[in-house]
Amino acid sequence: MTGKYEVIIIGAGISGIKTAIDLYRGGVNNILILEARNCIGGRLKSVKSENFPHVTYDLGASWFHDALANPLFDKARELGNIDYYFDDGELVYFDKDDKTVPSWKFEHITDEIICYISLSYLKDPNKPDISLKQICQEYYEKKHDLIDPDRWGKAIATIRIFGELWHGESWDNLSAKFVFDEDGHLGRNVLVKSGYSKVIQNEMNELPDKFETTNIKLNTSVKCIDYSNDIINIHTGNDSFSCDYVVLTLPRSLYSIDDPNDPSYIKWVPELPGDFKKLSHYFEAGSLGKVVFEFSECFWSETVDRFYALSKQEPKNPNDPQPWDYPTILINYQANSGVPALVALTQNPLSSTIENFDPKTKNERIWQLFQPVIAQISNAKVPPQPINILHTSWNNDIWARGAYCTSKVGCPDSETLTNLFAKGLSNKIRFAGSETVDGSANGCAHGGWFSGQREAKYILDDIAKKL
């Protein structure tokens, strides 16, 4: 198959779909979307529970972040077809020793550590970037005589949970300079109970009825992009297409692949410019993972929205994780959906390790890891076995290679990386995706939506200049 299009969009996630919507509204309807997966949505992945038919788990994005400035949330409210829940009610912190850890034991010290990190780089902009773990050790060496040991242990465990379970990466890899260097969120976070698949469908409903079958080509991975001439040529495994403009919405991690034998490798003609090559090794993603535990009955508090499991120990062997090696957050589906289920958030390397457990013993191994943790919130003497376990697989997903971008030691600031993509290669080679926007929407589904809106406007304006 061959064809000439005005715009080709690579990727049918939220950013690609939004780009198509706004182009179509602007009068550009000769559009083709190429999607490597067998479905639309990209890293938005909803899974229906087999045990609780009215419940959907999102293994990708789960929340409407920035509730005061989120067009996807606004649309859900306007249409009234998405169930949602503000899961910021009662929270419980606990650890291996205490079933409840009051916030006064850690919050002031935690705030001071974050302030110390900020002041360190404000006073000395040339201070070398070190890991979050290292700068916490630096703080402790200077201030340990002012801190109660028990409160210190709980504070440092809280720092880990905030850093690791936002970025999806271990604190000994996270950049001290940038891990907490982000704009504050614009409003609360809202759990999407209906699943992001319905959010995607809300967007698709703004396109013509036949668009999905006529303008989206699934199971089609791009192998080569030739932009050596005014007309851009795009080659897949079997087909070739040409276009005036191309918008790439791939996860940032895929642009760092330089092995021609890798199924996600894209050959560029000419090669990507120096800035991309120079910064490509910073495109690696973290992996915020999820493990879903379904039970036959609820044996924990039905009213607590989230349980924060603090960890005061560290893994001796990342390939053989033990209970309490990593902090986790347990999302209580008894509270938000009325079913006996918990969803645990995980980070690398634990997320990757779970994915690679032997399939024959995987569920047993996962339960061995989390059973002692869940036992601490249990009303039962011995927590019953789960009736079902699900988990994410973003590390092993060849079209993702992780959950979303993160800030590792030595990386440039987020603005440098997002601007690299937001400015595009030229007026014809454009980039979109949640990792191409700065600010609080970076890495979020509505950030992808904003990027699609931005790129469609850019192309429409460029076309108008030529008229």
Side-chain angles (χ1 to χ4, degrees):
M1 178 184 291
T2 60
K4 170 66 169 66
Y5 296 87
E6 197 161 1
V7 181
I8 290 180
I9 300 165
I10 300 175
I14 190 76
S15 51
I17 291 170
K18 176 57 178 173
T19 304
I21 290 170
D22 284 12
L23 287 173
Y24 211 94
R25 285 176 177 167
V28 176
N29 52 31
N30 187 18
I31 303 167
L32 177 66
I33 300 181
L34 301 176
E35 170 55 53
R37 300 178 187 276
N38 62 2
C39 60
I40 64 172
R43 286 174 288 175
L44 299 178
K45 184 177 181 181
S46 301
V47 177
K48 279 278 189 184
S49 170
E50 295 181 1
N51 295 298
F52 312 117
H54 67 287
V55 171
T56 298
Y57 305 108
D58 273 311
L59 301 184
S62 297
W63 288 269
F64 291 125
H65 296 292
D66 293 347
L68 293 177
N70 189 321
L72 299 175
F73 180 48
D74 292 342
K75 185 180 296 184
R77 294 185 66 199
E78 178 185 345
L79 296 176
N81 64 349
I82 303 277
D83 293 330
Y84 55 85
Y85 179 83
F86 286 91
D87 64 333
D88 55 4
E90 186 180 357
L91 311 175
V92 169
Y93 289 84
F94 68 101
D95 61 21
K96 188 176 182 179
D97 302 315
D98 299 299
K99 285 182 173 290
T100 302
V101 176
S103 60
W104 66 262
K105 282 201 169 186
F106 59 81
E107 63 180 354
H108 299 300
I109 300 172
T110 299
D111 289 346
E112 185 170 278
I113 294 171
I114 295 173
C115 184
Y116 173 84
I117 295 171
S118 178
L119 287 174
S120 294
Y121 289 101
L122 186 64
K123 291 178 179 178
D124 182 9
N126 295 318
K127 177 183 175 71
D129 191 13
I130 56 179
S131 71
L132 177 59
K133 177 181 178 179
Q134 288 172 313
I135 205 163
C136 287
Q137 291 170 336
E138 178 182 291
Y139 166 87
Y140 184 71
E141 288 171 4
K142 295 179 179 181
K143 308 291 183 183
H144 64 88
D145 58 320
L146 305 176
I147 307 170
D148 174 78
D150 182 55
R151 293 185 67 189
W152 166 252
K154 289 174 170 49
I156 206 66
T158 309
I159 285 287
R160 278 188 70 189
I161 211 168
F162 290 161
E164 294 188 357
L165 293 174
W166 181 252
H167 290 271
E169 187 59 59
S170 172
W171 73 326
D172 45 13
N173 288 328
L174 287 174
S175 162
K177 192 173 185 178
F178 299 120
V179 64
F180 296 121
D181 181 30
E182 58 186 37
D183 297 325
H185 276 289
L186 306 175
R188 293 187 286 168
N189 299 321
V190 191
L191 184 71
V192 182
K193 291 177 59 177
S194 299
Y196 255 98
S197 58
K198 284 196 174 182
V199 177
I200 286 287
Q201 191 56 53
N202 279 349
E203 296 304 302
M204 288 299 299
N205 290 343
E206 298 194 20
L207 288 163
D209 291 341
K210 294 183 179 180
F211 189 91
E212 187 168 354
T213 55
T214 60
N215 296 73
I216 300 179
K217 189 171 173 58
L218 300 176
N219 299 302
T220 305
S221 60
V222 171
K223 302 301 181 184
C224 177
I225 299 175
D226 184 342
Y227 65 107
S228 57
N229 298 305
D230 194 46
I231 298 297
I232 302 161
N233 291 295
I234 296 175
H235 306 285
T236 67
N238 301 310
D239 304 319
S240 295
F241 306 93
S242 60
C243 57
D244 298 319
Y245 298 88
V246 62
V247 182
L248 293 99
T249 71
L250 309 175
R252 201 165 72 189
S253 54
L254 298 188
Y255 295 102
S256 65
I257 296 173
D258 57 8
D259 178 4
N261 296 315
D262 190 297
S264 301
Y265 172 76
I266 295 177
K267 180 180 179 180
W268 290 81
V269 181
E271 292 185 351
L272 288 171
D275 285 352
F276 274 86
K277 287 187 175 182
K278 180 181 176 182
L279 296 173
S280 64
H281 59 286
Y282 297 118
F283 297 167
E284 187 179 355
S287 185
L288 181 66
K290 295 172 186 170
V291 181
V292 179
F293 297 96
E294 294 184 328
F295 300 90
S296 58
E297 60 181 339
C298 180
F299 51 87
W300 58 88
S301 170
E302 298 185 6
T303 59
V304 173
D305 280 332
R306 298 186 184 192
F307 299 93
Y308 288 74
L310 306 177
S311 173
K312 292 184 286 186
Q313 68 188 47
E314 291 191 68
K316 295 179 179 178
N317 180 0
N319 294 320
D320 184 27
Q322 300 301 311
W324 298 104
D325 274 357
Y326 298 92
T328 188
I329 299 173
L330 300 172
I331 310 300
N332 187 1
Y333 271 66
Q334 186 67 53
N336 64 53
S337 298
V339 300
L342 297 166
V343 176
L345 304 186
T346 63
Q347 63 286 77
N348 262 341
L350 181 59
S351 299
S352 180
T353 301
I354 287 173
E355 290 181 32
N356 293 308
F357 278 151
D358 184 341
K360 295 179 182 178
T361 58
K362 179 175 286 190
N363 283 357
E364 178 184 350
R365 189 74 181 87
I366 291 173
W367 182 235
Q368 287 174 351
L369 269 178
F370 284 93
Q371 190 273 348
V373 177
I374 292 174
Q376 275 292 77
I377 66 169
S378 173
N379 299 322
K381 191 171 183 179
V382 179
Q385 294 273 340
I387 57 175
N388 189 34
I389 296 177
L390 304 170
H391 68 84
T392 51
S393 299
W394 295 118
N395 289 285
N396 290 336
D397 185 325
I398 62 172
W399 309 119
R401 310 298 171 98
Y404 51 72
C405 57
T406 190
S407 298
K408 291 191 177 182
V409 177
C411 70
D413 63 277
S414 174
E415 186 176 357
T416 296
L417 294 176
T418 55
N419 286 347
L420 178 69
F421 287 92
K423 69 182 181 181
L425 282 186
S426 67
N427 66 324
K428 290 177 169 290
I429 311 284
R430 311 300 303 170
F431 298 95
S434 65
E435 297 152 338
T436 72
V437 296
D438 211 5
S440 61
N442 180 268
C444 301
H446 68 293
W449 190 95
F450 284 136
S451 75
Q453 181 184 58
R454 177 194 70 213
E455 293 309 318
K457 181 179 185 304
Y458 182 95
I459 292 172
L460 291 170
D461 288 348
D462 195 62
I463 292 172
K465 291 176 186 176
K466 300 172 184 177
L467 297 178

